[in-house]
C-alpha cells in the first residue's frame, strides 16, 4: 500500500512538472513585468500568506494597453511586444512596424510555428494586421526569418486570441473582424491560411476590452465596452469548434457589468475551463474615467460557464472582489490581476477552478512601483499554454500495470 501511495505521489509530481513555461515572464504597462521563475512569499491585505508568487521584473514596454510576451519551453525569456515593436531578451529590437497599437486592448499575440519548434509567428493587429516570423537559437537570440507581412484581414477590432486546433498540432488565431463577427485564421506547418473562417455573433459588440478562448478550446468569451452607453457594451460566452474554427451558440448581455459608465474590460477562464471571470475598468493612467464613483466600483465578477450559458444575465454573476481591473491566467493555475492609475498592488485568484461562491480575490500591496507598473493591459497569451492536459502514462505497482490519465 505504501508503494502505491508513493508511486501515486510521484505521478502527481510528474504531472506538475509538465506545466508549460511559455508564460513565465510578463511585460506590460510602463516598464512593468512579472517573473514567475524567481518567486517570493507574500501576505495579502487580509492576512493570507502565499508562496511562489512572482517577483517584479522591469520590462521593455511602455504601453497603455496592448502587449504580449513569450518564453521558451524551459522558461527562458524570448521576446515581448506592444504590437508595434518586438524586443529580444536584452531589449534589442527584433521587429518594428508590426501593425499593432499601444492603445488597442489586445494589440497582438505570438504562436509557435507548428512545423518548427524554434520559430514563432508574431501578430500585430489594429485596423488591419501583420505578422512576422522569428527564429531563436539555444541562447534565446532571435533572427527575423520573415519581416512584417500584411494579413488577409479587414475591419479588425481590438481583440485577438489563439488556441490549438483539435488535431493538437496546428493553431487557430481568432480576431474580432467587425461589430458582430469573429474570424479565425489557421496556422499549420505549411504556413498561414489566406481564407479566414467567419462566424456572425450578433451580441459581440463594443470597441475596447478583451476576448479569450478557453484553455481546452471549447469556449470563447468576451467583455467589451465603448462609448458610455449600454448599447455599445457586451459580455458573453460562445462555443468554439477547434476542428472547424467556427463560433456558435453565443450567450451574452448587451450592457455594462455594473450598469454605470465604468467599462467592461478584462476576461479570463479558469484552467479547467469551468468558470469565466469578467472585470470592470474605470481608471486611465492618470485619472478616473468617472469622478463620481469610487475605485471599489471596479472589480472581478465570476460565473460558472454552464450557469451563464443557461441563464445569461447579470444576476448569474457573483462579484468576488473589488478594485482589480484586468486579469490573466498563468500556467501555475492562478489568475493574476492589476489596476491602473498608479495602483501598485498585485491581485490574485488562487483557486479559479473552485465553485464560484468559494472563490475570493486577494490583494498584495506594493508589488509594483513608480518605475515599473501596470496601466490597463496585461499580456495576451495563446490559451493552450494553460490547458492542464494530462497525457496517458503507465507505471508498475505491486506486480501490476496501471495507467493514469
Amino acid at each position: 500500500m505504501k508503494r502505491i501511495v508513493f508511486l501515486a505521489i510521484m505521478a502527481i509530481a510528474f504531472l506538475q512538472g509538465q506545466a508549460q513555461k511559455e508564460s513565465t515572464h510578463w511585460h506590460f504597462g510602463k516598464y512593468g513585468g512579472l517573473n514567475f521563475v524567481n518567486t517570493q512569499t507574500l501576505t495579502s491585505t487580509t492576512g493570507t500568506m502565499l508562496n511562489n508568487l512572482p517577483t517584479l521584473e522591469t520590462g521593455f514596454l511602455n504601453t497603455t494597453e496592448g502587449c504580449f510576451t513569450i518564453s521558451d519551453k524551459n522558461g527562458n525569456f524570448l521576446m515581448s511586444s506592444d504590437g508595434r515593436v518586438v524586443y529580444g531578451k536584452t531589449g534589442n529590437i527584433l521587429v518594428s512596424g508590426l501593425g499593432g497599437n499601444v492603445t488597442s486592448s489586445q494589440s497582438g499575440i505570438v504562436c509557435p510555428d507548428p512545423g518548427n519548434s524554434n520559430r514563432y509567428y508574431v501578430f500585430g493587429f489594429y485596423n488591419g494586421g501583420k505578422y512576422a516570423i522569428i527564429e531563436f537559437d539555444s541562447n534565446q537570440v532571435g533572427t527575423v526569418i520573415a519581416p512584417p507581412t500584411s494579413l488577409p484581414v479587414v475591419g479588425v477590432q481590438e481583440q485577438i486570441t489563439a488556441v490549438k486546433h483539435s488535431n493538437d498540432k496546428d493553431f487557430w488565431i481568432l480576431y474580432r473582424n467587425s461589430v458582430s463577427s469573429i474570424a479565425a485564421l489557421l496556422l499549420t506547418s505549411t504556413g498561414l491560411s489566406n481564407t479566414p473562417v467567419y462566424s456572425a455573433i450578433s451580441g459581440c459588440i463594443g470597441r475596447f476590452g478583451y476576448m479569450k478562448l478557453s484553455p481546452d478550446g471549447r469556449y470563447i468569451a468576451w467583455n467589451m465596452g465603448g462609448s458610455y452607453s449600454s448599447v455599445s457594451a457586451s459580455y458573453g460566452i460562445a462555443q468554439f469548434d477547434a476542428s472547424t474554427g467556427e463560433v456558435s451558440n453565443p450567450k451574452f448581455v448587451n450592457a455594462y457589468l455594473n450598469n454605470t459608465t465604468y467599462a467592461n474590460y478584462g476576461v479570463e477562464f479558469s484552467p479547467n475551463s469551468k468558470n469565466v471571470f469578467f472585470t470592470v475598468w474605470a481608471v486611465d493612467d492618470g485619472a478616473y474615467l468617472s469622478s463620481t464613483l469610487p475605485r471599489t466600483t471596479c472589480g472581478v465578477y465570476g460565473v460558472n460557464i454552464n450557469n451563464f450559458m443557461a441563464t445569461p444575465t447579470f444576476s448569474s454573476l457573483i462579484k468576488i472582489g473589488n478594485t482589480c481591473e484586468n486579469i490573466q491566467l498563468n500556467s501555475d493555475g492562478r489568475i493574476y490581476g492589476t489596476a491602473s492609475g498608479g495602483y501598485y498592488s498585485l491581485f490574485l485568484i488562487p483557486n479559479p477552478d473552485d465553485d464560484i461562491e468559494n472563490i475570493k480575490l486577494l490583494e498584495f500591496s506594493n508589488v509594483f512601483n513608480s518605475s515599473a507598473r501596470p496601466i490597463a493591459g496585461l499580456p495576451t497569451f495563446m490559451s493552450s499554454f494553460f490547458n492542464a492536459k494530462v497525457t496517458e502514462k503507465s507505471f508498475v505497482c505491486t506486480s501490476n500495470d496501471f495507467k493514469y490519465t
Side-chain angles (χ1 to χ4, degrees), residues 157 159 176 178-182 201-211 222-227 229-236 250 252-256 264:
Q157 306 296 307
Q159 292 77 35
R176 192 156 156 262
S178 65
V179 173
S180 58
S181 176
I182 295 175
I201 305 296
S202 60
C204 187
I205 63 173
R207 181 174 60 84
F208 52 76
Y210 279 69
M211 179 178 77
W222 65 89
N223 187 26
M224 298 182 295
S227 61
S229 168
S230 62
V231 297
S232 61
S234 68
Y235 53 96
F252 54 87
V253 178
N254 288 145
Y256 282 104
N264 298 359

Side-chain angles (χ1 to χ4, degrees), residues 93 105 118 171 191 224 254 280 304 310 314:
I93 294 176
S105 303
N118 296 318
F171 300 101
M224 298 182 295
N254 288 145
V280 176
N304 175 277
F314 177 75

Side-chain angles (χ1 to χ4, degrees), residues 20 47 98 100 117 140 149 153 178 196 198 209 230 259 296 301 305 318 344-346 393 405:
Q20 299 190 76
L98 189 58
S117 61
Q140 300 84 49
T149 303
V153 298
S178 65
Y198 294 103
S230 62
N259 296 313
T296 52
Y301 294 83
I305 291 176
I318 296 175
Y344 299 153
S345 291
L346 177 68
K393 301 289 179 181
T405 58

